[in-house]
Structure formats: C-alpha cells, structure tokens
Amino acid sequence: MNQIKYSIIIPHKDIVQLLVRCLKSIPDTEDFQVIVVDDNSKNVNQIISAINDLKRNNIELYLTKEGKGAGFARNEGLKIATGDYIGFVDSDDYIANDMYQNLIESFLLNECQVSSIL
C-alpha cells in the first residue's frame, strides 16, 4: 500500500540557505514525499550536505546536468512523484505552519462532498 499521500516537488538551483528553510517548513512525515530536483547547481556537495544534515527520510534529491530551468525540473519531479496529490513549491518559498492541517481538512471535506454526491 502506498503510504505517500502528498508529493511536493521543489525545483532548485544555487540557493542552499533558502532551500533548507523551505525543506524545514514541510512536515517530516511518512505521507509526504519531498522531491528536490536540482537544475545543475555549481555547489552540489553543499546541497547534499545540507539535505543530509536535516536527517529526514522523506527528502529525495535528484541532480540534473541539463540546466534547463524550473519548468524542466518540475517535469522531472513529476516523473518521480508517487503521491495521491502533487504540489509545487519554489526553493525560495516556505510553507505556513498550519498548511498540513489545512490540507487534511480540505481533502476530508472534498472527499465527503464527493461521497455524498455518489
């Protein structure tokens, strides 16, 4: 059974400090798959080290050599995503503290509405 409910795809290039802030704002739970697609950054070792320092099991890092931009990186992330729901976050963004609870409530409400129609 697929435990992953949400896949979050983060395109990234050369802004490690903001990427770390973004990653820390995403819940560290088994139902989140966090996919970082690095688009040919110059400081790959620093990125790998920063992600490893977070000690999270739900972060996956994929390195590209193409340097084709955020759209390309998002599409690469879509190929990897396994969640029931997929979201995109830019690496210089961060997620509000109540986002996870809001997602759950929203999905539960929508599932109940669909069930009552059927």
Side-chain angles (χ1 to χ4, degrees):
M1 184 171 130
N2 185 6
Q3 290 183 352
I4 297 173
K5 185 107 174 155
Y6 313 102
S7 292
I8 305 295
I9 300 169
I10 305 170
H12 173 264
K13 183 163 185 161
D14 289 325
I15 51 173
V16 178
Q17 298 85 353
L18 293 178
L19 174 63
V20 168
R21 179 186 72 169
C22 176
L23 292 171
K24 286 181 177 179
S25 75
I26 299 171
D28 183 17
T29 64
E30 290 181 351
D31 57 344
F32 270 81
Q33 174 190 33
V34 182
I35 302 167
V36 177
V37 182
D38 184 79
D39 192 31
N40 199 25
S41 287
K42 296 175 184 141
N43 53 358
V44 173
N45 290 334
Q46 185 182 8
I47 296 162
I48 293 169
S49 178
I51 290 174
N52 287 339
D53 287 348
L54 292 173
K55 296 181 180 6
R56 292 189 173 193
N57 293 323
N58 66 341
I59 300 173
E60 303 172 22
L61 173 64
Y62 295 90
L63 305 172
T64 70
K65 296 293 181 194
E66 286 82 359
K68 294 183 177 178
F72 172 79
R74 287 184 189 98
N75 286 332
E76 291 301 299
L78 283 170
K79 295 175 185 175
I80 302 161
T82 61
D84 297 329
Y85 302 96
I86 296 173
F88 299 94
V89 178
D90 288 335
S91 56
D92 61 345
D93 293 333
Y94 60 93
I95 297 174
N97 291 336
D98 60 351
M99 180 273 311
Y100 185 61
Q101 187 60 37
N102 289 339
L103 271 177
I104 293 171
E105 290 171 4
S106 176
F107 290 133
L108 288 176
L109 176 64
N110 288 331
E111 287 176 8
C112 291
Q113 291 173 347
V114 170
S115 297
S116 66
I117 294 171
L118 299 175

mmCIF file of all heavy atoms in Angstrom, residues 109-118:
data_model
loop_
_atom_site.group_PDB
_atom_site.id
_atom_site.type_symbol
_atom_site.label_atom_id
_atom_site.label_comp_id
_atom_site.label_asym_id
_atom_site.label_seq_id
_atom_site.Cartn_x
_atom_site.Cartn_y
_atom_site.Cartn_z
ATOM 1 N N LEU A 109 -12.988 17.269 3.619
ATOM 2 C CA LEU A 109 -14.231 17.935 3.237
ATOM 3 C C LEU A 109 -14.591 17.596 1.803
ATOM 4 O O LEU A 109 -15.724 17.233 1.504
ATOM 5 C CB LEU A 109 -14.088 19.459 3.407
ATOM 6 C CG LEU A 109 -15.280 20.297 2.956
ATOM 7 C CD1 LEU A 109 -16.508 19.971 3.813
ATOM 8 C CD2 LEU A 109 -14.962 21.775 3.056
ATOM 9 N N ASN A 110 -13.623 17.664 0.897
ATOM 10 C CA ASN A 110 -13.893 17.366 -0.508
ATOM 11 C C ASN A 110 -14.271 15.911 -0.722
ATOM 12 O O ASN A 110 -15.139 15.599 -1.512
ATOM 13 C CB ASN A 110 -12.693 17.733 -1.379
ATOM 14 C CG ASN A 110 -12.522 19.231 -1.513
ATOM 15 O OD1 ASN A 110 -13.491 19.965 -1.441
ATOM 16 N ND2 ASN A 110 -11.306 19.673 -1.684
ATOM 17 N N GLU A 111 -13.614 14.991 0.000
ATOM 18 C CA GLU A 111 -13.955 13.561 -0.122
ATOM 19 C C GLU A 111 -15.365 13.311 0.368
ATOM 20 O O GLU A 111 -16.105 12.540 -0.218
ATOM 21 C CB GLU A 111 -12.946 12.708 0.642
ATOM 22 C CG GLU A 111 -11.606 12.627 -0.053
ATOM 23 C CD GLU A 111 -10.570 11.874 0.748
ATOM 24 O OE1 GLU A 111 -10.906 11.270 1.789
ATOM 25 O OE2 GLU A 111 -9.393 11.883 0.334
ATOM 26 N N CYS A 112 -15.775 13.978 1.446
ATOM 27 C CA CYS A 112 -17.150 13.818 1.956
ATOM 28 C C CYS A 112 -18.157 14.348 0.962
ATOM 29 O O CYS A 112 -19.197 13.737 0.752
ATOM 30 C CB CYS A 112 -17.302 14.546 3.299
ATOM 31 S SG CYS A 112 -16.388 13.773 4.631
ATOM 32 N N GLN A 113 -17.858 15.480 0.319
ATOM 33 C CA GLN A 113 -18.769 16.042 -0.661
ATOM 34 C C GLN A 113 -18.924 15.127 -1.861
ATOM 35 O O GLN A 113 -20.010 14.920 -2.361
ATOM 36 C CB GLN A 113 -18.297 17.428 -1.102
ATOM 37 C CG GLN A 113 -18.422 18.469 -0.016
ATOM 38 C CD GLN A 113 -17.785 19.794 -0.409
ATOM 39 O OE1 GLN A 113 -17.047 19.880 -1.381
ATOM 40 N NE2 GLN A 113 -18.061 20.818 0.366
ATOM 41 N N VAL A 114 -17.822 14.546 -2.337
ATOM 42 C CA VAL A 114 -17.880 13.629 -3.472
ATOM 43 C C VAL A 114 -18.673 12.383 -3.086
ATOM 44 O O VAL A 114 -19.512 11.914 -3.846
ATOM 45 C CB VAL A 114 -16.461 13.262 -3.947
ATOM 46 C CG1 VAL A 114 -16.505 12.137 -4.950
ATOM 47 C CG2 VAL A 114 -15.776 14.481 -4.560
ATOM 48 N N SER A 115 -18.443 11.855 -1.892
ATOM 49 C CA SER A 115 -19.168 10.652 -1.444
ATOM 50 C C SER A 115 -20.663 10.892 -1.362
ATOM 51 O O SER A 115 -21.453 10.028 -1.710
ATOM 52 C CB SER A 115 -18.642 10.197 -0.075
ATOM 53 O OG SER A 115 -17.292 9.839 -0.170
ATOM 54 N N SER A 116 -21.056 12.067 -0.905
ATOM 55 C CA SER A 116 -22.493 12.332 -0.758
ATOM 56 C C SER A 116 -23.176 12.505 -2.106
ATOM 57 O O SER A 116 -24.362 12.263 -2.234
ATOM 58 C CB SER A 116 -22.710 13.567 0.120
ATOM 59 O OG SER A 116 -22.218 14.728 -0.510
ATOM 60 N N ILE A 117 -22.425 12.916 -3.125
ATOM 61 C CA ILE A 117 -22.998 13.057 -4.464
ATOM 62 C C ILE A 117 -23.220 11.689 -5.082
ATOM 63 O O ILE A 117 -24.216 11.437 -5.753
ATOM 64 C CB ILE A 117 -22.095 13.918 -5.366
ATOM 65 C CG1 ILE A 117 -22.062 15.357 -4.850
ATOM 66 C CG2 ILE A 117 -22.534 13.881 -6.814
ATOM 67 C CD1 ILE A 117 -21.039 16.236 -5.525
ATOM 68 N N LEU A 118 -22.286 10.791 -4.863
ATOM 69 C CA LEU A 118 -22.380 9.451 -5.448
ATOM 70 C C LEU A 118 -23.470 8.696 -4.743
ATOM 71 O O LEU A 118 -24.201 7.948 -5.154
ATOM 72 C CB LEU A 118 -21.057 8.709 -5.312
ATOM 73 C CG LEU A 118 -19.878 9.358 -6.014
ATOM 74 C CD1 LEU A 118 -18.595 8.591 -5.696
ATOM 75 C CD2 LEU A 118 -20.093 9.386 -7.509
#
